[in-house]
Amino acid sequence: MTTELRRMIIDGDLMPGAVLSEVALAETFGVSRTPVREALKQLQIEGLVEVRSRVGTFVATPSRRDINELFVMKELLEGAAARLMAARGDVPELRAMQVNVAESDRAIAAGDTERYAQLVHEFHELLITGSDNAKLGGHYRILMNQLAYNRLVRTSLSQPGRASASENEHQRVLDLILAKDGDSAERVMRDHVRASHRAVMVGLDT
């Protein structure tokens, strides 16, 4: 149930600040309170759950500082992943990324922001997997969980023109990886993350 509860938080089914009752969760999942308690402990370690003494357990609410710091780390990790992937040549993730970008173009043309949000997640996952660095991937996925990034992607894409700009940035990163230009791929990927970060912060202020 840890996996499902984690997904519910990351996807926004359980919003920041939501109360997490052991009794209610046990009833929802059809289990005793013991596995619920263990799941909540694990998610607390991951930064997704906050336990307030004598008050209760809640979905963590990242502060603006938390979000800013996490995006700085995201920029570093994804920039490094782009560089590493560019050095690998023709790998399966690269071909999958080409398919992803082509489908993203169609989603943007159709105005299907929801589908594009799914493709954004896939693009970044392909980048991390394509870097072929297990340590980087492990740190990245913990970071993405703490950001509840699926929810923030939608915040970013809600800004006028951001979806189209984001797709153009993905295309540029892909072109540079195909050209095996690791320096430029890292730079452009970092620029892309910073642009997404700015859009998220604007969205959180509106």
Side-chain angles (χ1 to χ4, degrees):
M1 67 166 292
T2 304
T3 300
E4 179 60 15
L5 192 53
R6 182 188 295 112
R7 183 203 63 76
M8 292 170 71
I9 294 172
I10 293 170
D11 288 351
D13 297 334
L14 292 169
M15 296 299 289
V19 177
L20 297 171
S21 162
E22 289 184 9
V23 173
L25 289 171
E27 291 177 356
T28 298
F29 288 98
V31 297
S32 70
R33 293 176 63 178
T34 299
V36 172
R37 195 173 296 118
E38 292 303 313
L40 292 175
K41 284 181 182 177
Q42 177 59 37
L43 295 176
Q44 182 185 15
I45 292 170
E46 295 177 17
L48 290 173
V49 164
E50 177 185 357
V51 178
R52 302 177 197 166
S53 179
R54 297 177 182 168
V55 178
T57 303
F58 305 84
V59 175
T61 303
S63 66
R64 291 180 67 89
R65 182 186 178 105
D66 290 334
I67 293 171
N68 286 330
E69 290 180 350
L70 289 166
F71 262 102
V72 168
M73 296 307 300
K74 184 176 191 292
E75 178 188 330
L76 292 171
L77 292 172
E78 291 192 347
R83 174 187 288 276
L84 290 169
M85 189 171 178
R88 294 189 65 211
D90 186 17
V91 294
E93 293 84 4
L94 184 56
R95 294 190 290 277
M97 192 177 282
Q98 290 174 287
V99 172
N100 173 280
V101 168
E103 188 171 347
S104 295
D105 284 340
R106 291 190 289 272
I108 294 296
D112 190 348
T113 305
E114 183 61 29
R115 176 56 182 151
Y116 180 58
Q118 296 169 354
L119 290 163
V120 166
H121 175 73
E122 179 184 287
F123 180 92
H124 289 258
E125 278 293 319
L126 287 168
L127 179 73
I128 297 301
T129 305
S131 74
D132 193 32
N133 186 304
K135 297 298 184 185
L136 186 153
H139 287 297
Y140 178 82
R141 291 185 177 91
I142 291 171
L143 179 71
M144 289 299 96
N145 287 350
Q146 291 178 347
L147 271 173
Y149 192 64
N150 291 358
R151 190 168 64 238
L152 291 184
V153 164
R154 288 164 175 78
T155 301
S156 172
L157 297 179
S158 69
Q159 301 308 301
R162 180 58 201 151
S164 179
S166 170
E167 170 51 17
N168 288 336
E169 291 157 13
H170 283 186
Q171 181 68 66
R172 288 181 63 204
V173 171
L174 173 59
D175 289 344
L176 291 165
I177 291 174
L178 285 166
K180 300 183 181 180
D181 185 347
D183 288 346
S184 298
E186 178 174 11
R187 174 178 53 79
V188 172
M189 191 67 218
R190 293 184 63 163
D191 288 345
H192 168 61
V193 175
R194 282 196 294 270
S196 296
H197 181 190
R198 288 192 295 270
V200 164
M201 300 314 288
V202 170
L204 292 175
D205 286 336
T206 57

